[in-house]
Amino acid sequence: MSGLIFALVVIAVLWALAYFAAPLLAWTVAIGVALWAYGFHYHSPPVVAWAVLVVLAVLLNWRPLRRLLITNHLLVWFRKVLPPISETERIAIDAGNTWWDADLFTGRPDWKKLLATPAPALSDEEQAFLDGPVEEFCRSLDDWQITHELFDLPPAAWEQIRKHRFFGMIIPKQYGGHGFSALAHSTVVMKIGTRSTSAAVTVMVPNSLGPGELLLHYGTDEQKSYYLPRLARAEEIPCFALTGPYVGSDAGALPDNGIVCKGMYQGKETLGFRVSWDKRYITLAPVATLLGVAFKAYDPDHLLGDKEDLGITLALIPTNLPGVEIGRRHNPLNSAFMNGPTRGKDVFIPFDCLIGGTQYIGQGWRMLMNCLAVGRAISLPALGTGAGKHASRVTGAYAQVRKQFRVSIGKFEGVEEALARIGGMTYRMDAARRLTAGALDRGEKPSVLSAILKYHCTEGMRQVLGDAMDVHGGRGVMMGPRNYLARGYQAVPVSITVEGANILTRSMIIFGQGAIRAHPYLLKEMEAASSEDHAKAAVDFDRALFAHVGFTISNAARSLFLGLTGAVFSPAPGDAATRRYYRQLSRMSAAFTFTADVGLLMLGGEMKRREKLSARYGDMLSHLYLASAVLKQYEDHGRPPADLPLVEWACQDSLYAMQQALEGILRNFPARTVGWLMRLLVLPLGRPYAPPGDRLGHHVAKLLLEPSDARDRLTRYAFTSADPKDPVGRMEHALKQTLAAEPVEEKLQQGLKKRLAPANYLKLVDEGEKKSVLDAREAALLRETYAVARDAIDVDEFGKLRGE
Ligand SMILES: Cc1cc2nc3c(=O)[nH]c(=O)nc-3n(C[C@H](O)[C@H](O)[C@H](O)COP(=O)(O)OP(=O)(O)OC[C@H]3O[C@@H](n4cnc5c(N)ncnc54)[C@H](O)[C@@H]3O)c2cc1C
């Protein structure tokens, strides 16, 4: 018995050492004490065990010997299995920095650190801009006119863009822009997106990756002083052209070229580039006056030096130069923002046209990646979140107003399910949008998080708009001025495709770059392995590798402990309702980090080709982040109890998504036995999570169906209107009217002992008034409700369709 207790104590101590990632010396001492205690208890020292301990202790604790006998050999092996990293990949990995993603990759996220970050907030000036010019701009937009009649924004909208400097949100005040925070920039794009996708894309492009941002970071003083004020006032319409027929996701493979040569510019001979390009899909290109172009620079005549192949270079080319071709348009799924091809043949540009001047020749890829690390976290996530807010507001209202089988369709369980997804996902997208914008405003440049945001907010958009269309049935399908959904739904693939097409983002970027960027040791090991300084490489690699091993063992021990105990002992902030989610996220963080480490160890460079596996690891990392954002938003909003259904739905959905991803990793792990062993550690008692339950879904759906503070908070900054003639205002008005009429309808049904239906509605109102069941005011209310509800469900009719 005492032997059993002794063994249990030893296991517990070793487990604790592993759990807390104790240093090697602590392990050595602990095992020494255990061997001494064993010898003392049994009066016979375990000689062989002592000998093994001494050899291992010396070998592992004496670093020069450890390097000589172990690490240097592992370094040779590591160099062989190291994924070949191209220059373009290395630049993408180096771009930006890490933030909360790095914490999630430790297996023990520091929740206090997350909660201590300030709640993102708009300044008074930014709020005034939203309440004034943005509101006015939105109100003036008629998306049907834009997408069906004009195929462009109306001249008055372009005028407002100029007057209120919508193109200058990221341009500092000293250059005539607004100098807005990332949060304000995101909120403006989001709000416009709830009114018109075409208008939102038009406004968002000059404020995201393009001439403005590139000039801000890399422009010469002259370029900044000249162009930025003109861009802010939209006197210059910018676009940025990278993509071409042969250049899509593999954006580094540019065939477009620029040859260093002498040429004539404004009557003078000067050195410059003769540039030729063939680009397509370029937003704003048809109306651009300033064309940002990425090309590969060559110096075959050695006018600049010895090097011939100079690398990707970025230039700003005025579109009135001879040889520049713009003006033709694509039709991106009937969205009416300007988009088209641009071509140039032997266009001579002086070096002054290079962004940042000659010092940035060949630096184009780095410049683009650095800007993408930030920009990708703002525009498209804003558009996706806006879609969620708009869908929540209008679908909730429609599901209340539209009745079938004499019941509001929102009360049917099937419809509830769709409404719950819309509400829960919108809360989560908004939380992630705000958290990330706040991080950007504190100077972080989290490139992995920006990829997570881009992917999940645009996929979220696809889901919520699909659900919204389903709930609207034919009302969503029939296009026309009354339809406030179909154009956004149609445009979903645009957001899915741009700034890193989603399949690629999920299967290559989020984990592929995230693992290297956010992992506490991997990048250090890779840097050491690729270092030319062999002595330093050996020391650095040894240090990183042993810390990494301790880290992996710790996460294995933590995963098992947290799995067996349901993580109930894990320290967690929050309140009674949310504490368990912090705990489960800590558990999943340990499981993710441990399985990711084993995956990287077993697959090495092969991981790059295992995109399905990489995508599942990416899903885990993403949902760890998204659920963290949800919990943080709940705290930032002061823990409103009414928001809890949304918070819980989003957290439960994320946990379930993580579990699905983990299950996929374990089941498809290339070494089956390793997959099975990992399962024992990370899911020791089976699968703990289920999708959000029916009752919870009911509460979320209910929240969308009736006006409330929680509904207003969820849909804050979605464009709304009180005008019953406005497409959105019509639905808001009908919702209020329907709810106001409900008790009166009930009174009428009770009084007449008859059930109201569309066919007898007006007749029963007349009868009720005649028999004094209703007074005149109540009868008028019901007659009006009947008309308002009919107007809200009506779709457009046309005498003739275009082209008929
Ligand atoms: C409306 C619109 C506006 C745009 N605006 C601009 C602009 O202003 N400037 C500009 O330069 N470009 C712009 N683009 C181009 C956009 O960035 C590209 O469309 C995008 O990079 C994808 O390239 P592609 O369309 O050629 O798709 P492809 O690269 O051919 O990809 C097709 C599919 O294959 C997937 N895929 C590719 N490689 C991999 C991989 N290794 N692993 C997994 N999946 C992979 C992709 O995810 C995608 O689903 C715009 C595009 C659109 C549609």
Side-chain angles (χ1 to χ4, degrees), residues 84-372:
I85 296 186
S86 64
E87 180 60 13
T88 48
E89 277 178 305
R90 168 151 289 284
I91 290 170
I93 289 166
D94 288 346
N97 63 6
T98 57
W99 176 57
W100 183 241
D101 42 338
D103 268 72
L104 294 171
F105 226 127
T106 59
R108 52 178 88 219
D110 179 356
W111 297 113
K112 283 197 194 120
K113 177 177 143 188
L114 177 71
L115 296 186
T117 56
L122 297 170
S123 69
D124 291 346
E125 189 190 340
E126 292 166 342
Q127 187 66 57
F129 188 74
L130 273 151
D131 296 340
V134 180
E135 175 69 23
E136 187 194 320
F137 182 59
C138 288
R139 202 166 290 285
S140 73
L141 297 173
D142 173 347
D143 202 39
W144 181 247
Q145 181 198 41
I146 293 170
T147 57
H148 187 76
E149 292 163 8
L150 301 178
F151 241 95
D152 187 3
L153 302 187
W158 280 106
E159 188 42 44
Q160 285 190 64
I161 286 175
R162 282 189 196 95
K163 180 174 152 205
H164 297 298
R165 292 167 289 137
F166 276 99
F167 284 1
M169 285 193 282
I170 60 167
I171 295 176
K173 287 187 175 157
Q174 70 186 101
Y175 296 112
H178 290 290
F180 280 164
S181 64
L183 181 67
H185 172 188
S186 152
T187 311
V188 171
V189 171
M190 182 174 76
K191 176 154 182 164
I192 300 173
T194 64
R195 188 61 163 164
S196 162
T197 315
S198 300
V201 174
T202 303
V203 167
M204 107 194 178
V205 165
N207 286 291
S208 65
L209 182 58
E213 196 178 3
L214 288 162
L215 282 173
L216 272 175
H217 286 95
Y218 303 103
T220 61
D221 287 345
E222 294 80 47
Q223 287 173 333
K224 285 184 190 167
S225 311
Y226 180 74
Y227 280 122
L228 291 178
R230 296 172 63 77
L231 287 169
R233 294 191 297 266
E235 285 166 15
E236 297 278 3
I237 306 283
C239 70
F240 192 81
L242 175 64
T243 308
Y246 301 108
V247 189
S249 301
D250 183 9
L254 291 171
D256 313 290
N257 61 71
I259 312 291
V260 181
C261 63
K262 284 191 179 146
M264 295 301 287
Y265 189 73
Q266 293 177 344
K268 273 200 235 150
E269 193 186 59
T270 176
L271 258 184
F273 279 101
R274 199 175 57 244
V275 191
S276 298
W277 67 89
D278 179 7
K279 309 281 193 183
R280 63 178 185 179
Y281 306 163
I282 309 306
T283 304
L284 292 184
V287 291
T289 59
L290 190 61
L291 187 67
V293 174
F295 62 89
K296 277 205 176 135
Y298 299 94
D299 185 14
D301 299 327
H302 299 281
L303 296 175
L304 292 179
D306 294 340
K307 230 170 136 189
E308 282 194 13
D309 184 348
L310 303 177
I312 295 175
T313 300
L314 310 183
L316 289 183
I317 303 181
T319 53
N320 57 8
L321 285 191
V324 177
E325 214 186 283
I326 58 156
R328 293 180 66 75
R329 288 183 70 176
H330 298 306
N331 177 356
L333 285 166
N334 286 347
S335 289
F337 58 86
M338 292 288 158
N339 186 283
T342 166
R343 296 179 186 96
K345 183 93 183 96
D346 295 335
V347 177
F348 180 77
I349 55 163
F351 284 155
D352 285 351
C353 287
L354 300 179
I355 300 178
T358 47
Q359 59 168 324
Y360 284 107
I361 291 177
Q363 298 294 315
W365 189 247
R366 189 179 305 279
M367 293 155 81
L368 289 173
M369 287 301 108
N370 278 328
C371 290
L372 194 63

